[in-house]
């Protein structure tokens, strides 16, 4: 987000509604540093907020109607209270679902006009959907004087995504968007909801994190996500534990499981939880270079055991390492999307160009990239 986005949505609001907005709010997308598919297993995650965000200008209206304009797709949608039915289709479901979740939780939410823009890449695994939900929620909470803590905001936004939009995601994306702070990663326990802001001062360590979008459309993501989730739940039931988070002895657990595929799924979740805990230790000690082997191991586990990577993503990770990245992994739910690579400060463009050449040779789309600095969570910006 830039000051530009604040000006853009404010101007567009005035043009459309003939009055100034009551304020401007923003909520970021995220990268997950480590801890993939652990959130719905009651495990650990460690995301940080991106500078890219959804910026929304908003004001209350005198009736029970909501209008929302996205400057990204130049579309305006209108809905009333009777339209707030789970299963709504279209992008506006992410906005209507937030109104629905707030109302369901007993909050009084008055009608409002919203005009938004976003520089979070859509559908790239950087959580443009959570950014949209959390920006809407932050704006509506302030406009209606609702006193809701960041964790509870994340839970409401997740409820929107799960029950209204119909995507069975864990709490990772929304917790990152509402709870992250600048210059820190968020160590988050998805069972107890305990959190810790862990300093992530990569610059002082002479490092940076490159995010590279492989531009791979994730065609099967919804069904594959659901089958992974179901497999984890079945495994937990067979092992007699509430969630895979509770597996203490991995070898003993694997001995109890007959199905080879299920064994690999369990091995990913259990080892990935362990890697998040190790990553927290390295960050607390300021030993950022020690993150690298954990990123590499996380990628191998997602590729071989959880089977959620695709050839573009695997090539990007391999090429990043060949170009001198200390470590790299896919970030996000999988089946396409982005990789992150820990690289020496100032080398991101060179590493990305190398990956771009390898993509050209393989006949893949040209990837896009940026350096991702840990940025602020959701809040009022104007
Ligand atoms: P991700 O969260 O990884 O970006 P999702 O599939 O979960 O991918 O969410 C992407 C969807 O969110 C888009 O297809 C669109 O419906 C909605 N969305 C996100 N940001 C915007 C925006 N600025 N304007 C309109 N729709 C948006
Ligand atoms: Mg999403």
């Amino acid at each position: 987000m830039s000051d530009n986005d604040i000006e853009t949505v404010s101007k567009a609001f005035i043009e459309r509604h003939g009055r100034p907005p009551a304020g401007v709010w923003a909520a970021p997308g995220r990268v997950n540093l480590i801890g993939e598919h652990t959130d719905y297993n009651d495990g650990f995650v460690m995301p940080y907020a991106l500078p890219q965000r959804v910026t929304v200008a908003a004001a209350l209206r005198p009736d029970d109607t909501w209008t929302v304009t996205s400057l990204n797709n130049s579309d305006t949608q209108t809905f009333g209270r009777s339209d707030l039915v789970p299963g709504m289709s279209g992008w506006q479901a992410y906005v209507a679902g937030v109104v629905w979740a707030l109302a369901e939780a007993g909050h009084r939410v008055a009608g409002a006009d919203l005009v938004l823009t976003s520089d979070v890449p859509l559908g790239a695994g950087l959580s443009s959907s959570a950014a949209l939900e959390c920006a809407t929620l932050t704006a509506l909470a302030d406009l209606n004087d609702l006193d809701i803590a960041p964790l509870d905001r994340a839970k409401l936004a997740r409820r929107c995504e799960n029950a209204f939009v119909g995507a069975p995601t864990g709490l990772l994306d929304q917790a990152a968007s509402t709870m992250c702070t600048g210059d820190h990663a968020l160590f988050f326990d998805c069972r107890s909801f305990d959190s810790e802001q862990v300093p992530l001062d990569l610059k002082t360590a002479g490092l940076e994190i490159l995010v590279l979008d492989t531009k791979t459309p994730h065609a099967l993501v919804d069904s594959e996500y659901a089958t992974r989730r179901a497999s984890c739940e079945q495994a937990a039931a067979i092992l007699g534990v509430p969630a895979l988070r509770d597996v203490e002895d991995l070898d003993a657990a694997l001995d109890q499981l007959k199905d080879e595929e299920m064994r690999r799924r369990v091995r990913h979740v259990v080892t990935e939880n362990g890697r998040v805990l190790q990553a927290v230790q390295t960050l607390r000690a300021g030993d950022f270079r020690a993150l690298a082997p954990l990123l590499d191991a996380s990628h191998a586990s997602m590729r071989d055991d959880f089977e959620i990577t695709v050839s573009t993503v695997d090539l990007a990770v391999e090429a990043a390492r060949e170009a001198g990245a200390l470590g790299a992994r896919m970030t996000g739910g999988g089946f396409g999307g982005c990789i992150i690579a820990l690289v020496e400060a100032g080398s991101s463009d060179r590493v990305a160009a190398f990956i771009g050449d390898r993509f050209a040779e393989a006949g893949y789309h040209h990837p896009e990239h940026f350096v991702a600095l840990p940025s602020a969570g959701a809040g009022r910006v104007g």
Side-chain angles (χ1 to χ4, degrees):
M1 180 203 68
S2 61
D3 289 348
N4 232 353
D5 285 346
I6 300 174
E7 216 179 288
T8 303
V9 289
S10 300
K11 272 195 184 151
F13 189 100
I14 293 167
E15 265 170 39
R16 174 159 286 277
H17 298 291
R19 67 191 202 286
V24 181
W25 292 264
R30 59 99 190 97
V31 284
N32 192 20
L33 201 50
I34 197 155
E36 221 64 76
H37 287 259
T38 46
D39 59 350
Y40 56 81
N41 288 296
D42 277 5
F44 307 108
V45 294
M46 198 158 62
Y48 69 84
L50 289 172
Q52 285 88 342
R53 51 200 53 223
V54 169
T55 305
V56 58
L60 292 179
R61 315 169 36 110
D63 58 11
D64 255 6
T65 302
W66 290 266
T67 76
V68 56
T69 301
S70 169
L71 301 180
N72 294 94
N73 57 15
S74 307
D75 188 24
T76 297
Q77 293 287 333
T78 302
F79 52 90
R81 224 171 266 283
S82 60
D83 299 315
L84 298 176
V85 180
M88 179 189 279
S89 61
W91 68 274
Q92 70 274 17
Y94 294 95
V95 176
V98 166
V99 177
W100 173 83
L102 281 166
E104 267 240 325
H107 297 293
R108 258 198 52 77
V109 206
D113 294 312
L114 300 99
V115 175
L116 61 92
T117 189
S118 173
D119 58 355
V120 185
L122 262 60
L126 301 177
S127 268
S128 71
S129 61
L132 178 53
E133 292 152 4
C134 294
T136 302
L137 194 112
T138 309
L140 294 181
D142 277 7
L143 286 173
N144 290 284
D145 284 327
L146 306 176
D147 186 14
I148 309 173
L151 172 62
D152 294 321
R153 290 179 185 213
K155 289 179 182 171
L156 286 168
R158 180 201 181 181
R159 183 147 166 71
C160 157
E161 182 132 2
N162 288 176
F164 199 87
V165 177
T169 55
L171 191 57
L172 163 65
D173 299 352
Q174 293 81 10
S177 193
T178 64
M179 296 172 71
C180 280
T181 57
D183 301 321
H184 290 79
L186 176 78
F187 171 45
F188 187 68
D189 181 331
C190 298
R191 170 173 282 165
S192 68
F193 306 127
D194 286 344
S195 63
E196 177 184 336
Q197 304 287 345
V198 193
L200 188 60
D201 181 10
L202 294 168
K203 211 169 171 187
T204 308
L207 296 170
E208 63 194 24
I209 288 179
L210 159 70
V211 175
L212 182 128
D213 183 355
T214 63
K215 305 291 234 174
T216 313
H218 15 169
L220 291 170
V221 67
D222 288 348
S223 60
E224 293 287 354
Y225 192 99
T227 45
R228 293 304 179 287
R229 201 176 163 145
S231 181
C232 291
E233 281 162 11
Q234 275 168 21
I238 293 170
L239 295 170
V241 289
L244 292 183
R245 145 73 170 275
D246 301 298
V247 172
E248 277 168 15
D249 183 340
L250 177 60
D251 290 335
L254 295 180
D255 282 345
Q256 282 185 62
L257 298 170
K258 306 246 168 337
D259 186 82
E260 183 49 38
E261 186 182 275
M262 189 179 279
R263 287 154 60 99
R264 282 187 275 119
R265 304 293 188 251
V266 169
R267 189 163 57 200
H268 166 72
V269 173
V270 175
T271 58
E272 184 78 352
N273 268 328
R275 282 185 288 272
V276 180
L277 296 178
Q278 280 179 277
V280 176
Q281 300 292 348
T282 67
L283 292 196
R284 283 184 191 139
D287 187 9
F288 299 112
R289 280 166 202 268
L291 260 183
L294 298 171
L295 300 180
D296 289 344
S298 172
H299 189 78
S301 179
M302 291 189 287
R303 183 190 59 213
D304 303 335
D305 280 348
F306 220 59
E307 296 179 282
I308 52 172
T309 67
V310 290
S311 56
T312 46
V313 166
D314 290 334
L315 178 61
V317 163
E318 190 187 298
R321 287 201 206 104
E322 240 181 276
L326 285 82
R329 66 181 286 273
M330 184 188 75
T331 187
F335 308 100
C338 292
I339 68 150
I340 55 170
L342 184 67
V343 302
E344 302 291 347
S347 71
S348 281
D349 288 345
R350 188 183 56 72
V351 173
F354 184 87
I355 302 170
D357 288 346
R358 296 288 304 272
F359 268 43
E361 282 163 26
Y364 295 158
H365 289 296
H366 188 68
E368 283 182 18
H369 75 280
F370 58 91
V371 175
L373 297 174
S375 304
R380 185 165 181 164
V381 293

